[in-house]
Amino acid sequence: MRAPLFSKVVVHSFAREIPLRKVPNDDLAKLMDTNDDWIRKRTGIQTRYWVDEPTTTSNLGSASAKKTLALAGCDQVDAIIAATLSPDFNFPGIGVQIQNDLNLDCIPAYDIRNQCSGFLYALEMAGALIETGVYQRILVVGAEVHSTGLDRTTRGRDIAVLFGDGAGSCIVERKDCCHAPGPVFSLLGTELHSDGAFVDQLWCEHPGSAHFPIRVSVDLVEQGKIFPTMNGKLVFEHAVRRMVEVSMSLLGKLNRQPRDLRLIIPHQANLRINSLVAKQLGLDEEQVFNTIQKYGNTTAATIPIGFSHAVEECDLKPGDQILSAAFGSGFTWGAAVFEVVD
Ligand code: UT7
């Protein structure tokens, strides 16, 4: 399996946008048959943030992207790559809305549909476009509004308690053109995978063009077919296995070992998944940077949100090596390795 290794690509100016409404587990227990104890023990989640008024995925993505541009001290990029599973509309995607919100001079706007791996897919694409000289500076955004797409009744409790709203963003840029204030991360390599045999193990079936003669109906809405469903145990097992596998594979291609890592900033689907991944990589719990306790699973936004916090809280030093890994619907999974340059 090929994995692109990069020599000319840096990533910087991580920012986040989190909606104001904090939703503690106890608030969910008022909507469905669940409780704080179950959610904390099985997932690690204590709170998540849900939009409280008409706020869309592109609104959150644009707000985060504005912060990223301010941090980077720039007002123009060559392209946008936006990842989400919860676009404002079936089409078009949110990339064009972010382009318009930010007044970014008719630049190309890509949309990525790889769910929890979406940010890593966007990052690899941005890295490849920079490394090959197509563009010099790309804005990458991961954004989600899950709360309006969840079954907030007991029928949907296995999924509804997991997800939160939010956005994260960064700039991916050619190293020799970068004048951003630190921290700046070299993107050393990425590795991505998919296995569509598991498409129906974590999905949202309706509305979709697979359905004839119409994509959704009142009956299907009443049956809850417009909400996501998941085979939680199967997803859990695959997540642990694949995140470890892809991390070891990419580290090997970069001639590195897990012990070379200062930190992992993984996707946030379940605290127990991340503990098992760390254990199997031979890392200490303190080397795993988790945000799930506060935000739940924000899917494509999770990794850039994690980086935005790590930059503020972790006293990162030049030479620190950082690994990200993610797994999600598709199935899709991947990893990326970074090194702090300043
Ligand atoms: O980012 C995308 C990838 N997503 C993931 O990686 C998620 C992976 N899966 C998971 O994190 C876990 O499978 C869950 C957190 C979703 C579920 O945890 P689990 O330990 O696998 O629980 P379970 O599905 O086996 O359910 C155990 C019990 C069941 O009751 P019975 O059959 O034992 O009576 C469920 O009905 O817990 C029940 N249950 C709940 N109880 C209270 C399921 N959801 C809830 C809930 N509150 N929210």
Side-chain angles (χ1 to χ4, degrees):
M1 186 68 67
R2 287 177 66 82
L5 305 183
F6 301 104
S7 60
K8 300 178 188 156
V9 181
V10 290
V11 186
H12 58 85
S13 306
F14 283 96
R16 62 181 178 275
E17 177 71 14
I18 307 295
L20 291 177
R21 183 180 162 206
K22 187 197 271 192
V23 183
N25 293 339
D26 284 339
D27 283 11
L28 299 184
K30 294 174 194 151
L31 303 172
M32 62 191 83
D33 181 11
T34 190
N35 57 75
D36 179 55
D37 190 53
W38 191 97
I39 300 171
R40 276 179 198 247
K41 281 195 181 132
R42 303 272 180 151
T43 72
I45 299 167
Q46 299 170 19
T47 59
R48 74 286 292 139
Y49 290 78
W50 283 0
V51 295
D52 207 9
E53 51 189 34
T55 303
T56 67
T57 298
S58 71
N59 294 156
L60 294 179
S62 294
S64 181
K66 279 178 190 161
K67 293 178 190 170
T68 281
L69 293 183
L71 281 171
C74 68
D75 53 14
Q76 194 57 46
V77 294
D78 300 323
I80 300 170
I81 306 182
T84 187
L85 70 67
S86 53
D88 298 15
F89 312 111
N90 253 343
F91 71 87
I94 61 166
V96 293
Q97 290 167 281
I98 295 171
Q99 176 275 326
N100 185 47
D101 289 349
L102 271 60
N103 240 335
L104 289 170
D105 204 17
C106 295
I107 57 169
Y110 299 80
D111 280 88
I112 297 279
R113 293 291 308 270
N114 292 98
Q115 299 66 251
C116 296
S117 313
F119 179 76
L120 294 181
Y121 270 73
L123 188 68
E124 177 171 294
M125 185 187 279
L129 288 166
I130 302 282
E131 186 81 17
T132 53
V134 177
Y135 299 122
Q136 289 188 6
R137 186 191 290 150
I138 299 176
L139 171 65
V140 174
V141 183
E144 306 286 355
V145 171
H146 284 302
S147 54
T148 51
L150 298 171
D151 183 351
R152 301 184 191 187
T153 69
T154 298
R155 180 178 63 184
R157 67 180 178 173
D158 60 328
I159 293 212
V161 301
L162 303 177
F163 289 96
D165 303 338
S169 51
C170 62
I171 298 284
V172 181
E173 190 166 21
R174 218 173 77 190
K175 195 179 278 178
D176 57 6
C177 300
C178 175
H179 302 293
V184 172
F185 303 84
S186 262
L187 179 63
L188 303 183
T190 53
E191 183 170 329
L192 302 175
H193 297 270
S194 71
D195 187 349
F198 297 96
V199 74
D200 59 354
Q201 299 299 304
L202 173 48
W203 67 344
C204 186
E205 221 188 321
H206 292 267
S209 62
H211 307 290
F212 185 84
I214 189 150
R215 296 176 181 196
V216 74
S217 65
V218 173
D219 271 359
L220 290 164
V221 172
E222 281 168 357
Q223 288 166 38
K225 296 282 189 188
I226 55 163
F227 297 120
T229 57
M230 169 172 69
N231 180 346
K233 282 201 186 305
L234 183 92
V235 174
F236 190 107
E237 286 162 20
H238 280 254
V240 175
R241 177 157 69 87
R242 294 307 200 176
M243 284 167 73
V244 171
E245 202 175 84
V246 71
S247 300
M248 290 306 294
S249 170
L250 179 58
L251 286 168
K253 285 174 182 125
L254 289 162
N255 294 318
R256 282 162 172 81
Q257 304 283 337
R259 65 168 173 271
D260 299 325
L261 298 169
R262 155 89 196 274
L263 213 58
I264 61 170
I265 304 179
H267 178 54
Q268 304 284 307
N270 190 315
L271 208 54
R272 291 185 293 134
I273 292 178
N274 290 350
S275 292
L276 287 165
V277 169
K279 197 171 167 198
Q280 291 186 26
L281 291 176
L283 300 172
D284 297 334
E285 290 278 338
E286 306 80 67
Q287 290 176 275
V288 189
F289 194 80
N290 287 310
T291 54
I292 190 169
Q293 301 92 325
K294 200 168 167 184
Y295 297 130
N297 181 349
T298 55
T299 309
T302 298
I303 290 175
I305 289 174
F307 266 90
S308 74
H309 274 285
V311 163
E312 292 164 6
E313 297 164 26
C314 290
D315 191 23
L316 297 171
K317 297 270 194 297
D320 283 350
Q321 317 261 320
I322 297 172
L323 169 89
S324 282
F327 180 90
S329 160
F331 291 156
T332 58
W333 63 99
V337 176
F338 307 81
E339 180 174 326
V340 180
V341 284
D342 66 18

